[in-house]
């Protein structure tokens, strides 16, 4: 019986191990789900995985959470996604990915038509990174769920994302929880998504929104056509 799902989690994968796994992925035609979370792959190991991803046409889910990838490793992976025709879900949470990588990610989101779910929770995105994602969302027609929680995004980044959401009529879920977005940023987000017919979940919990403001913010959702579920 062929293997469709492979999990190698919470291990200490060597560079040689990543090399052999990458070689296998280049020729494998059955594995559709690969979870390498917590495997300490790092930059060098990810280079082998990224090379395989660029030509693999069966992998649909790739979990790389908690691997210490950083900006350099993620740039290699993002570049490989320009040519990948199968991957629909990518988990890169908790990998210390910071700004230089997001410029490459933006260019990938301009052209990749397959990726539907992208998780970047727990990375250093900040306002500048949020602005890059906003620019990507204005042109991307395929992404359905984007997780940017615990990513040091402030009100300025929220303003940019709100502007993008007015046009990004394909995104269905956006997670901005545990950031530093204050009431003005939340208000603008809600006002903009009222005009978005697709977005059904907006998570802005743990952003330091005072309790007395939450009812008034919920009031902004009256008569929204898509019955948005707002999470505080």
């Amino acid at each position: 019986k062929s293997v469709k799902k492979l999990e190698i989690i919470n291990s200490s994968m060597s560079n040689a191990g990543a090399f052999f796994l990458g070689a296998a992925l280049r020729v494998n035609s059955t594995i559709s789900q690969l979870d390498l979370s917590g495997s300490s792959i790092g930059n060098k190991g990810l280079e082998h995985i990224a090379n395989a991803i660029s030509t693999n046409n069966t992998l649909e889910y790739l979990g790389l959470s908690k691997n210490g990838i950083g900006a350099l490793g993620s740039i290699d992976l993002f570049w490989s996604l320009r040519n990948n025709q199968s991957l629909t879900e990518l988990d890169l949470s908790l990998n210390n990915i910071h700004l230089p990588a997001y410029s490459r990610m933006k260019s990938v989101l301009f052209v990749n038509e397959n990726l539907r779910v992208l998780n970047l929770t727990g990375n250093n995105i900040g306002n500048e990174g949020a602005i890059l994602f906003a620019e990507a969302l204005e042109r991307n027609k395929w992404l359905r769920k984007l997780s940017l929680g615990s990513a040091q995004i402030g009100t300025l980044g929220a303003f940019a994302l709100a502007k993008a959401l007015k046009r990004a009529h394909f995104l269905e879920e956006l997670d901005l929880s545990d950031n530093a977005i204050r009431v003005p940023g939340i208000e603008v987000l809600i006002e903009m998504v009222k005009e978005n017919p697709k977005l059904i979940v907006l998570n802005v919990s743990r952003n330091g929104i005072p309790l007395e403001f939450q009812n008034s913010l919920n009031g902004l959702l009256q008569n929204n056509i898509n019955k948005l579920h707002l999470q505080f």
Side-chain angles (χ1 to χ4, degrees):
K1 187 177 181 179
S2 59
V3 176
K4 295 186 179 297
K5 182 177 181 179
L6 177 61
E7 293 183 348
I8 307 175
I9 59 177
N10 298 324
S11 65
S12 295
M13 184 177 292
S14 64
N15 188 41
F19 171 81
F20 287 115
L21 179 59
L25 287 174
R26 278 194 289 271
V27 297
N28 181 274
S29 60
T30 61
I31 294 177
S32 60
Q33 298 181 57
L34 176 61
D35 192 349
L36 301 174
S37 299
S39 293
S40 305
I41 294 174
N43 291 335
K44 287 293 185 180
L46 187 65
E47 186 177 339
H48 302 305
I49 305 298
N51 288 338
I53 294 299
S54 64
T55 56
N56 180 285
N57 59 8
T58 59
L59 198 63
E60 298 174 0
Y61 169 82
L62 178 59
L64 290 169
S65 179
K66 295 184 289 185
N67 269 292
I69 291 169
L72 190 60
S74 59
I75 286 174
D76 289 333
L77 180 62
F78 292 156
W79 184 253
S80 73
L81 291 176
R82 292 179 63 89
N83 299 317
N84 181 276
Q85 299 296 316
S86 63
L87 198 68
T88 59
E89 183 171 354
L90 176 61
D91 183 357
L92 286 172
S93 58
L94 302 167
N95 268 298
N96 194 32
I97 301 172
H98 46 88
L99 190 61
Y102 298 123
S103 180
R104 179 62 56 84
M105 183 76 251
K106 182 183 80 169
S107 67
V108 169
L109 290 176
F110 280 169
V111 298
N112 186 292
E113 299 182 7
N114 304 292
L115 198 63
R116 298 291 185 270
V117 180
L118 177 60
N119 186 355
L120 284 160
T121 297
N123 288 291
N124 186 2
I125 295 174
N127 286 329
E128 291 182 76
I131 290 170
L132 291 174
F133 273 102
E135 293 171 357
L137 287 175
E138 290 194 15
R139 290 178 53 177
N140 182 283
K141 298 179 181 179
W142 306 280
L143 199 64
R144 298 293 180 263
K145 182 178 180 180
L146 178 61
S147 299
L148 303 177
S150 303
Q152 302 178 39
I153 297 172
T155 300
L156 184 62
F159 285 162
L161 288 167
K163 181 181 177 183
L165 288 174
K166 190 175 182 179
R167 300 180 181 179
H169 289 181
F170 300 92
L171 196 69
E172 297 173 357
E173 298 184 37
L174 177 61
D175 181 3
L176 293 172
S177 61
D178 197 22
N179 279 293
I181 305 171
R182 299 301 177 244
V183 171
I186 304 296
E187 287 179 327
V188 170
L189 279 166
I190 294 174
E191 285 293 347
M192 288 299 182
V193 299
K194 283 166 62 177
E195 302 179 38
N196 186 317
K198 276 288 188 177
L199 197 73
I200 55 176
V201 176
L202 175 62
N203 188 346
V204 291
S205 62
R206 301 189 303 282
N207 269 282
I209 305 299
L211 185 61
E212 60 267 25
F213 284 103
Q214 293 187 17
N215 287 335
S216 62
L217 291 172
N218 272 319
L220 292 175
L221 289 174
Q222 291 181 357
N223 301 320
N224 68 303
I225 59 175
N226 51 335
K227 304 300 182 185
L228 176 74
H229 180 51
L230 180 64
Q231 298 176 352
F232 283 119

